[in-house]
Amino acid sequence: GAGVSQTPSNKVTEKGKYVELRCDPISGHTALYWYRQSLGQGPEFLIYFQGTGAADDSGLPNDRFFAVRPEGSVSTLKIQRTERGDSAMYLCASSLQTGGISGELFFGEGSRLTVL
Amino acid sequence: GENVEQHPSTLSVQEGDSAVIKCTYSDSASNYFPWYKQELGKRPQLIIDIRSNVGEKKDQRIAVTLNKTAKHFSLHITETQPEDSAVYFCAASPGDSSYKLIFGSGTRLLVRP
């Protein structure tokens, strides 16, 4: 597609449930990021993939959060035993950037997660 | 690690006036400073960026200035229009992990017609 695609756009779940959020980056972009944005705040870094590997997962809040990108394209963010505090907009972004050089991030529309 | 502070949190201006948003950063090794615009319910989109080897950059009505000594950078929008109304985020790229961005908390700009 032309841009970064994220599904679902909205997810409502109950506390304790498991959730998967999917991101399809721009074709050819090797760098992929997950950010979390709470209401009234800026995006907060979660994890960075360069190709298939998670080069930096230092932003994941705890071990309930995990992300994969098995073929170097689509990525899935997985959240186990969801808590009300996980409620936020989860943004995925991709970039042409390689070699650790910063550049423009292209964001998706986000997946809004609500944990009841 | 890198910390980015952004002010003001809200800004209301009359159409045609200028708007200035300021950010400070803590990591002196940071070398890339983009600005993103996020309209209500939409994705953040890059509007302008500057690297540490440049002091100022302009693109039509938008300009960004960088003061490396003071570790602050600013976004300037001239001749504001109602369609400029949005939330603006500054960001900085840490020196030891230049692939990622640390964002400020955002400025909600309202341009009154």
Side-chain angles (χ1 to χ4, degrees), chain A residues 49-92:
Chain A
F49 288 90
Q50 184 57 253
T52 60
D56 183 346
D57 65 357
S58 62
L60 295 178
N62 50 60
D63 61 6
R64 296 187 297 105
F65 288 74
F66 189 71
V68 296
R69 195 186 185 197
E71 297 178 357
S73 179
V74 171
S75 176
T76 304
L77 178 65
K78 307 181 181 193
I79 311 174
Q80 296 178 319
R81 305 183 303 281
T82 51
E83 299 178 356
R84 293 194 179 87
D86 299 336
S87 297
M89 177 71 84
Y90 289 82
L91 292 167
C92 177

mmCIF file of all heavy atoms in Angstrom, chain A residues 49-92:
data_model
loop_
_atom_site.group_PDB
_atom_site.id
_atom_site.type_symbol
_atom_site.label_atom_id
_atom_site.label_comp_id
_atom_site.label_asym_id
_atom_site.label_seq_id
_atom_site.Cartn_x
_atom_site.Cartn_y
_atom_site.Cartn_z
ATOM 1 N N PHE A 49 12.812 -2.187 15.048
ATOM 2 C CA PHE A 49 13.287 -3.312 14.255
ATOM 3 C C PHE A 49 14.094 -2.786 13.074
ATOM 4 O O PHE A 49 13.708 -1.828 12.405
ATOM 5 C CB PHE A 49 12.112 -4.114 13.679
ATOM 6 C CG PHE A 49 11.364 -4.931 14.672
ATOM 7 C CD1 PHE A 49 10.283 -4.388 15.351
ATOM 8 C CD2 PHE A 49 11.711 -6.241 14.919
ATOM 9 C CE1 PHE A 49 9.566 -5.142 16.266
ATOM 10 C CE2 PHE A 49 11.007 -7.010 15.825
ATOM 11 C CZ PHE A 49 9.935 -6.450 16.502
ATOM 12 N N GLN A 50 15.209 -3.433 12.797
ATOM 13 C CA GLN A 50 15.939 -3.220 11.559
ATOM 14 C C GLN A 50 15.922 -4.583 10.873
ATOM 15 O O GLN A 50 16.638 -5.493 11.287
ATOM 16 C CB GLN A 50 17.348 -2.708 11.817
ATOM 17 C CG GLN A 50 18.128 -2.370 10.558
ATOM 18 C CD GLN A 50 17.440 -1.351 9.670
ATOM 19 O OE1 GLN A 50 16.919 -1.687 8.602
ATOM 20 N NE2 GLN A 50 17.429 -0.106 10.097
ATOM 21 N N GLY A 51 15.110 -4.722 9.840
ATOM 22 C CA GLY A 51 14.907 -6.031 9.233
ATOM 23 C C GLY A 51 14.047 -6.898 10.140
ATOM 24 O O GLY A 51 13.033 -6.446 10.663
ATOM 25 N N THR A 52 14.491 -8.106 10.373
ATOM 26 C CA THR A 52 13.713 -9.040 11.188
ATOM 27 C C THR A 52 14.011 -8.927 12.676
ATOM 28 O O THR A 52 13.221 -9.390 13.501
ATOM 29 C CB THR A 52 13.990 -10.488 10.758
ATOM 30 O OG1 THR A 52 15.383 -10.758 10.929
ATOM 31 C CG2 THR A 52 13.617 -10.712 9.297
ATOM 32 N N GLY A 53 15.149 -8.343 13.023
ATOM 33 C CA GLY A 53 15.571 -8.348 14.420
ATOM 34 C C GLY A 53 15.170 -7.109 15.183
ATOM 35 O O GLY A 53 15.171 -6.006 14.643
ATOM 36 N N ALA A 54 14.849 -7.301 16.458
ATOM 37 C CA ALA A 54 14.560 -6.165 17.334
ATOM 38 C C ALA A 54 15.880 -5.577 17.794
ATOM 39 O O ALA A 54 16.542 -6.120 18.676
ATOM 40 C CB ALA A 54 13.723 -6.610 18.523
ATOM 41 N N ALA A 55 16.279 -4.463 17.187
ATOM 42 C CA ALA A 55 17.567 -3.855 17.498
ATOM 43 C C ALA A 55 17.551 -3.127 18.835
ATOM 44 O O ALA A 55 18.595 -2.958 19.464
ATOM 45 C CB ALA A 55 17.970 -2.897 16.386
ATOM 46 N N ASP A 56 16.367 -2.678 19.250
ATOM 47 C CA ASP A 56 16.252 -1.950 20.515
ATOM 48 C C ASP A 56 14.844 -2.123 21.049
ATOM 49 O O ASP A 56 13.905 -1.612 20.460
ATOM 50 C CB ASP A 56 16.565 -0.461 20.288
ATOM 51 C CG ASP A 56 16.548 0.357 21.584
ATOM 52 O OD1 ASP A 56 16.056 -0.139 22.616
ATOM 53 O OD2 ASP A 56 17.011 1.504 21.552
ATOM 54 N N ASP A 57 14.702 -2.872 22.139
ATOM 55 C CA ASP A 57 13.385 -3.056 22.763
ATOM 56 C C ASP A 57 13.345 -2.408 24.139
ATOM 57 O O ASP A 57 12.533 -2.790 24.990
ATOM 58 C CB ASP A 57 13.010 -4.539 22.832
ATOM 59 C CG ASP A 57 13.945 -5.325 23.734
ATOM 60 O OD1 ASP A 57 14.910 -4.734 24.265
ATOM 61 O OD2 ASP A 57 13.721 -6.532 23.909
ATOM 62 N N SER A 58 14.209 -1.425 24.350
ATOM 63 C CA SER A 58 14.357 -0.818 25.677
ATOM 64 C C SER A 58 13.119 -0.058 26.133
ATOM 65 O O SER A 58 12.983 0.240 27.316
ATOM 66 C CB SER A 58 15.562 0.110 25.693
ATOM 67 O OG SER A 58 15.380 1.168 24.769
ATOM 68 N N GLY A 59 12.217 0.288 25.207
ATOM 69 C CA GLY A 59 11.026 1.044 25.578
ATOM 70 C C GLY A 59 9.839 0.184 25.990
ATOM 71 O O GLY A 59 8.840 0.715 26.492
ATOM 72 N N LEU A 60 9.915 -1.118 25.805
ATOM 73 C CA LEU A 60 8.808 -1.986 26.227
ATOM 74 C C LEU A 60 8.651 -1.889 27.737
ATOM 75 O O LEU A 60 9.628 -2.058 28.471
ATOM 76 C CB LEU A 60 9.066 -3.425 25.811
ATOM 77 C CG LEU A 60 9.103 -3.685 24.302
ATOM 78 C CD1 LEU A 60 9.413 -5.147 24.013
ATOM 79 C CD2 LEU A 60 7.792 -3.276 23.643
ATOM 80 N N PRO A 61 7.449 -1.620 28.238
ATOM 81 C CA PRO A 61 7.265 -1.324 29.671
ATOM 82 C C PRO A 61 7.577 -2.493 30.596
ATOM 83 O O PRO A 61 8.081 -2.295 31.699
ATOM 84 C CB PRO A 61 5.783 -0.954 29.777
ATOM 85 C CG PRO A 61 5.288 -0.767 28.413
ATOM 86 C CD PRO A 61 6.193 -1.470 27.477
ATOM 87 N N ASN A 62 7.276 -3.702 30.156
ATOM 88 C CA ASN A 62 7.503 -4.896 30.988
ATOM 89 C C ASN A 62 7.387 -6.136 30.109
ATOM 90 O O ASN A 62 7.179 -6.020 28.893
ATOM 91 C CB ASN A 62 6.480 -4.936 32.141
ATOM 92 C CG ASN A 62 5.063 -4.751 31.644
ATOM 93 O OD1 ASN A 62 4.579 -5.545 30.847
ATOM 94 N ND2 ASN A 62 4.398 -3.697 32.097
ATOM 95 N N ASP A 63 7.517 -7.297 30.728
ATOM 96 C CA ASP A 63 7.547 -8.531 29.931
ATOM 97 C C ASP A 63 6.177 -8.970 29.444
ATOM 98 O O ASP A 63 6.060 -10.022 28.804
ATOM 99 C CB ASP A 63 8.240 -9.655 30.697
ATOM 100 C CG ASP A 63 7.532 -10.002 31.995
ATOM 101 O OD1 ASP A 63 6.431 -9.446 32.243
ATOM 102 O OD2 ASP A 63 8.059 -10.809 32.757
ATOM 103 N N ARG A 64 5.134 -8.197 29.701
ATOM 104 C CA ARG A 64 3.837 -8.525 29.099
ATOM 105 C C ARG A 64 3.780 -8.077 27.634
ATOM 106 O O ARG A 64 2.892 -8.488 26.901
ATOM 107 C CB ARG A 64 2.707 -7.853 29.883
ATOM 108 C CG ARG A 64 2.552 -8.338 31.324
ATOM 109 C CD ARG A 64 1.307 -7.732 31.970
ATOM 110 N NE ARG A 64 1.389 -6.272 32.081
ATOM 111 C CZ ARG A 64 0.716 -5.434 31.304
ATOM 112 N NH1 ARG A 64 -0.102 -5.892 30.355
ATOM 113 N NH2 ARG A 64 0.837 -4.130 31.492
ATOM 114 N N PHE A 65 4.711 -7.226 27.259
ATOM 115 C CA PHE A 65 4.758 -6.673 25.906
ATOM 116 C C PHE A 65 5.836 -7.396 25.101
ATOM 117 O O PHE A 65 6.965 -7.569 25.576
ATOM 118 C CB PHE A 65 5.085 -5.182 25.934
ATOM 119 C CG PHE A 65 3.968 -4.312 26.433
ATOM 120 C CD1 PHE A 65 3.661 -4.273 27.783
ATOM 121 C CD2 PHE A 65 3.236 -3.534 25.556
ATOM 122 C CE1 PHE A 65 2.629 -3.460 28.255
ATOM 123 C CE2 PHE A 65 2.206 -2.715 26.013
ATOM 124 C CZ PHE A 65 1.907 -2.681 27.364
ATOM 125 N N PHE A 66 5.469 -7.762 23.867
ATOM 126 C CA PHE A 66 6.418 -8.427 22.989
ATOM 127 C C PHE A 66 6.069 -8.071 21.556
ATOM 128 O O PHE A 66 4.907 -7.832 21.233
ATOM 129 C CB PHE A 66 6.343 -9.950 23.195
ATOM 130 C CG PHE A 66 7.417 -10.708 22.505
ATOM 131 C CD1 PHE A 66 8.732 -10.646 22.952
ATOM 132 C CD2 PHE A 66 7.139 -11.511 21.408
ATOM 133 C CE1 PHE A 66 9.738 -11.352 22.318
ATOM 134 C CE2 PHE A 66 8.138 -12.218 20.769
ATOM 135 C CZ PHE A 66 9.444 -12.133 21.224
ATOM 136 N N ALA A 67 7.061 -7.979 20.686
ATOM 137 C CA ALA A 67 6.797 -7.681 19.278
ATOM 138 C C ALA A 67 7.667 -8.554 18.397
ATOM 139 O O ALA A 67 8.790 -8.893 18.774
ATOM 140 C CB ALA A 67 7.036 -6.205 18.978
ATOM 141 N N VAL A 68 7.127 -8.892 17.234
ATOM 142 C CA VAL A 68 7.849 -9.721 16.273
ATOM 143 C C VAL A 68 7.739 -9.118 14.892
ATOM 144 O O VAL A 68 6.804 -8.359 14.584
ATOM 145 C CB VAL A 68 7.317 -11.176 16.265
ATOM 146 C CG1 VAL A 68 7.568 -11.840 17.603
ATOM 147 C CG2 VAL A 68 5.836 -11.213 15.910
ATOM 148 N N ARG A 69 8.676 -9.502 14.046
ATOM 149 C CA ARG A 69 8.672 -9.089 12.638
ATOM 150 C C ARG A 69 9.389 -10.197 11.853
ATOM 151 O O ARG A 69 10.482 -10.022 11.359
ATOM 152 C CB ARG A 69 9.403 -7.749 12.474
ATOM 153 C CG ARG A 69 9.147 -7.077 11.132
ATOM 154 C CD ARG A 69 10.023 -5.843 10.975
ATOM 155 N NE ARG A 69 9.700 -5.126 9.758
ATOM 156 C CZ ARG A 69 10.506 -4.228 9.210
ATOM 157 N NH1 ARG A 69 11.679 -3.945 9.768
ATOM 158 N NH2 ARG A 69 10.150 -3.614 8.108
ATOM 159 N N PRO A 70 8.762 -11.369 11.770
ATOM 160 C CA PRO A 70 9.436 -12.597 11.321
ATOM 161 C C PRO A 70 10.007 -12.556 9.915
ATOM 162 O O PRO A 70 11.015 -13.212 9.654
ATOM 163 C CB PRO A 70 8.348 -13.667 11.452
ATOM 164 C CG PRO A 70 7.054 -12.919 11.470
ATOM 165 C CD PRO A 70 7.355 -11.593 12.088
ATOM 166 N N GLU A 71 9.398 -11.819 9.002
ATOM 167 C CA GLU A 71 9.890 -11.807 7.623
ATOM 168 C C GLU A 71 10.410 -10.436 7.224
ATOM 169 O O GLU A 71 10.618 -10.173 6.032
ATOM 170 C CB GLU A 71 8.774 -12.282 6.686
ATOM 171 C CG GLU A 71 8.352 -13.719 6.967
ATOM 172 C CD GLU A 71 7.216 -14.185 6.067
ATOM 173 O OE1 GLU A 71 6.724 -13.372 5.261
ATOM 174 O OE2 GLU A 71 6.812 -15.349 6.203
ATOM 175 N N GLY A 72 10.604 -9.569 8.182
ATOM 176 C CA GLY A 72 11.168 -8.267 7.889
ATOM 177 C C GLY A 72 10.202 -7.283 7.272
ATOM 178 O O GLY A 72 10.627 -6.227 6.785
ATOM 179 N N SER A 73 8.901 -7.611 7.316
ATOM 180 C CA SER A 73 7.910 -6.679 6.786
ATOM 181 C C SER A 73 6.849 -6.413 7.846
ATOM 182 O O SER A 73 7.040 -5.545 8.687
ATOM 183 C CB SER A 73 7.289 -7.233 5.504
ATOM 184 O OG SER A 73 6.317 -6.348 4.996
ATOM 185 N N VAL A 74 5.769 -7.184 7.850
ATOM 186 C CA VAL A 74 4.693 -7.014 8.830
ATOM 187 C C VAL A 74 5.212 -7.276 10.241
ATOM 188 O O VAL A 74 6.026 -8.168 10.473
ATOM 189 C CB VAL A 74 3.523 -7.969 8.506
ATOM 190 C CG1 VAL A 74 2.501 -7.983 9.622
ATOM 191 C CG2 VAL A 74 2.886 -7.578 7.185
ATOM 192 N N SER A 75 4.719 -6.460 11.169
ATOM 193 C CA SER A 75 5.075 -6.641 12.579
ATOM 194 C C SER A 75 3.810 -6.781 13.412
ATOM 195 O O SER A 75 2.763 -6.209 13.082
ATOM 196 C CB SER A 75 5.888 -5.445 13.073
ATOM 197 O OG SER A 75 6.159 -5.548 14.460
ATOM 198 N N THR A 76 3.914 -7.536 14.491
ATOM 199 C CA THR A 76 2.809 -7.698 15.429
ATOM 200 C C THR A 76 3.281 -7.333 16.823
ATOM 201 O O THR A 76 4.318 -7.833 17.281
ATOM 202 C CB THR A 76 2.287 -9.147 15.428
ATOM 203 O OG1 THR A 76 1.921 -9.524 14.099
ATOM 204 C CG2 THR A 76 1.062 -9.273 16.329
ATOM 205 N N LEU A 77 2.535 -6.457 17.476
ATOM 206 C CA LEU A 77 2.783 -6.125 18.879
ATOM 207 C C LEU A 77 1.810 -6.959 19.710
ATOM 208 O O LEU A 77 0.601 -6.936 19.458
ATOM 209 C CB LEU A 77 2.566 -4.630 19.137
ATOM 210 C CG LEU A 77 2.736 -4.141 20.567
ATOM 211 C CD1 LEU A 77 4.185 -4.304 21.026
ATOM 212 C CD2 LEU A 77 2.302 -2.680 20.692
ATOM 213 N N LYS A 78 2.347 -7.686 20.670
ATOM 214 C CA LYS A 78 1.541 -8.598 21.466
ATOM 215 C C LYS A 78 1.553 -8.140 22.918
ATOM 216 O O LYS A 78 2.630 -7.856 23.477
ATOM 217 C CB LYS A 78 2.114 -10.013 21.362
ATOM 218 C CG LYS A 78 2.302 -10.481 19.922
ATOM 219 C CD LYS A 78 2.841 -11.877 19.831
ATOM 220 C CE LYS A 78 3.031 -12.292 18.363
ATOM 221 N NZ LYS A 78 3.250 -13.736 18.223
ATOM 222 N N ILE A 79 0.386 -8.070 23.508
ATOM 223 C CA ILE A 79 0.266 -7.659 24.905
ATOM 224 C C ILE A 79 -0.489 -8.746 25.663
ATOM 225 O O ILE A 79 -1.649 -9.064 25.345
ATOM 226 C CB ILE A 79 -0.469 -6.308 25.066
ATOM 227 C CG1 ILE A 79 0.123 -5.259 24.120
ATOM 228 C CG2 ILE A 79 -0.380 -5.827 26.508
ATOM 229 C CD1 ILE A 79 -0.637 -3.944 24.101
ATOM 230 N N GLN A 80 0.168 -9.300 26.663
ATOM 231 C CA GLN A 80 -0.457 -10.356 27.480
ATOM 232 C C GLN A 80 -1.055 -9.754 28.747
ATOM 233 O O GLN A 80 -0.593 -8.713 29.234
ATOM 234 C CB GLN A 80 0.607 -11.380 27.869
ATOM 235 C CG GLN A 80 1.223 -12.124 26.700
ATOM 236 C CD GLN A 80 2.305 -13.099 27.150
ATOM 237 O OE1 GLN A 80 3.109 -12.795 28.031
ATOM 238 N NE2 GLN A 80 2.324 -14.280 26.550
ATOM 239 N N ARG A 81 -2.080 -10.419 29.272
ATOM 240 C CA ARG A 81 -2.663 -10.036 30.579
ATOM 241 C C ARG A 81 -2.854 -8.518 30.656
ATOM 242 O O ARG A 81 -2.303 -7.842 31.526
ATOM 243 C CB ARG A 81 -1.778 -10.527 31.718
ATOM 244 C CG ARG A 81 -1.498 -12.025 31.673
ATOM 245 C CD ARG A 81 -0.680 -12.483 32.868
ATOM 246 N NE ARG A 81 0.592 -11.780 33.000
ATOM 247 C CZ ARG A 81 1.681 -12.039 32.305
ATOM 248 N NH1 ARG A 81 1.673 -12.996 31.392
ATOM 249 N NH2 ARG A 81 2.795 -11.353 32.521
ATOM 250 N N THR A 82 -3.616 -7.994 29.706
ATOM 251 C CA THR A 82 -3.764 -6.537 29.599
ATOM 252 C C THR A 82 -4.262 -5.931 30.909
ATOM 253 O O THR A 82 -5.046 -6.533 31.660
ATOM 254 C CB THR A 82 -4.732 -6.164 28.476
ATOM 255 O OG1 THR A 82 -5.948 -6.913 28.628
ATOM 256 C CG2 THR A 82 -4.135 -6.444 27.119
ATOM 257 N N GLU A 83 -3.798 -4.706 31.140
ATOM 258 C CA GLU A 83 -4.188 -3.923 32.306
ATOM 259 C C GLU A 83 -4.800 -2.611 31.830
ATOM 260 O O GLU A 83 -4.542 -2.170 30.710
ATOM 261 C CB GLU A 83 -2.964 -3.645 33.180
ATOM 262 C CG GLU A 83 -2.303 -4.905 33.709
ATOM 263 C CD GLU A 83 -1.062 -4.611 34.533
ATOM 264 O OE1 GLU A 83 -0.671 -3.421 34.640
ATOM 265 O OE2 GLU A 83 -0.477 -5.576 35.074
ATOM 266 N N ARG A 84 -5.593 -1.972 32.689
ATOM 267 C CA ARG A 84 -6.262 -0.722 32.305
ATOM 268 C C ARG A 84 -5.234 0.333 31.893
ATOM 269 O O ARG A 84 -5.468 1.159 31.014
ATOM 270 C CB ARG A 84 -7.157 -0.234 33.427
ATOM 271 C CG ARG A 84 -8.342 -1.153 33.664
ATOM 272 C CD ARG A 84 -9.424 -0.541 34.529
ATOM 273 N NE ARG A 84 -10.525 -1.485 34.685
ATOM 274 C CZ ARG A 84 -10.588 -2.434 35.621
ATOM 275 N NH1 ARG A 84 -9.613 -2.540 36.515
ATOM 276 N NH2 ARG A 84 -11.608 -3.264 35.680
ATOM 277 N N GLY A 85 -4.072 0.311 32.520
ATOM 278 C CA GLY A 85 -3.020 1.272 32.197
ATOM 279 C C GLY A 85 -2.409 1.082 30.821
ATOM 280 O O GLY A 85 -1.661 1.942 30.354
ATOM 281 N N ASP A 86 -2.735 -0.026 30.148
ATOM 282 C CA ASP A 86 -2.242 -0.247 28.777
ATOM 283 C C ASP A 86 -3.075 0.517 27.761
ATOM 284 O O ASP A 86 -2.695 0.598 26.581
ATOM 285 C CB ASP A 86 -2.293 -1.740 28.437
ATOM 286 C CG ASP A 86 -1.421 -2.585 29.340
ATOM 287 O OD1 ASP A 86 -0.448 -2.056 29.912
ATOM 288 O OD2 ASP A 86 -1.716 -3.797 29.479
ATOM 289 N N SER A 87 -4.205 1.059 28.180
ATOM 290 C CA SER A 87 -5.077 1.800 27.269
ATOM 291 C C SER A 87 -4.319 2.999 26.698
ATOM 292 O O SER A 87 -3.793 3.829 27.460
ATOM 293 C CB SER A 87 -6.334 2.276 27.999
ATOM 294 O OG SER A 87 -7.109 1.177 28.457
ATOM 295 N N ALA A 88 -4.264 3.068 25.373
ATOM 296 C CA ALA A 88 -3.516 4.129 24.687
ATOM 297 C C ALA A 88 -3.688 3.935 23.188
ATOM 298 O O ALA A 88 -4.287 2.959 22.731
ATOM 299 C CB ALA A 88 -2.027 4.071 25.042
ATOM 300 N N MET A 89 -3.137 4.868 22.435
ATOM 301 C CA MET A 89 -3.016 4.702 20.983
ATOM 302 C C MET A 89 -1.641 4.103 20.711
ATOM 303 O O MET A 89 -0.629 4.637 21.184
ATOM 304 C CB MET A 89 -3.138 6.052 20.284
ATOM 305 C CG MET A 89 -2.951 5.985 18.784
ATOM 306 S SD MET A 89 -4.331 5.179 17.962
ATOM 307 C CE MET A 89 -5.439 6.579 17.824
ATOM 308 N N TYR A 90 -1.620 3.005 19.976
ATOM 309 C CA TYR A 90 -0.357 2.363 19.613
ATOM 310 C C TYR A 90 -0.065 2.699 18.161
ATOM 311 O O TYR A 90 -0.815 2.333 17.258
ATOM 312 C CB TYR A 90 -0.428 0.862 19.856
ATOM 313 C CG TYR A 90 -0.425 0.554 21.341
ATOM 314 C CD1 TYR A 90 -1.607 0.630 22.078
ATOM 315 C CD2 TYR A 90 0.758 0.254 22.008
ATOM 316 C CE1 TYR A 90 -1.597 0.403 23.458
ATOM 317 C CE2 TYR A 90 0.778 0.017 23.365
ATOM 318 C CZ TYR A 90 -0.406 0.089 24.090
ATOM 319 O OH TYR A 90 -0.400 -0.125 25.448
ATOM 320 N N LEU A 91 1.033 3.423 17.963
ATOM 321 C CA LEU A 91 1.418 3.887 16.636
ATOM 322 C C LEU A 91 2.575 3.065 16.100
ATOM 323 O O LEU A 91 3.545 2.811 16.813
ATOM 324 C CB LEU A 91 1.850 5.352 16.694
ATOM 325 C CG LEU A 91 0.774 6.390 17.010
ATOM 326 C CD1 LEU A 91 1.418 7.731 17.334
ATOM 327 C CD2 LEU A 91 -0.186 6.537 15.848
ATOM 328 N N CYS A 92 2.474 2.693 14.858
ATOM 329 C CA CYS A 92 3.571 2.043 14.159
ATOM 330 C C CYS A 92 4.135 3.032 13.150
ATOM 331 O O CYS A 92 3.403 3.870 12.603
ATOM 332 C CB CYS A 92 3.071 0.794 13.447
ATOM 333 S SG CYS A 92 4.325 -0.066 12.473
#
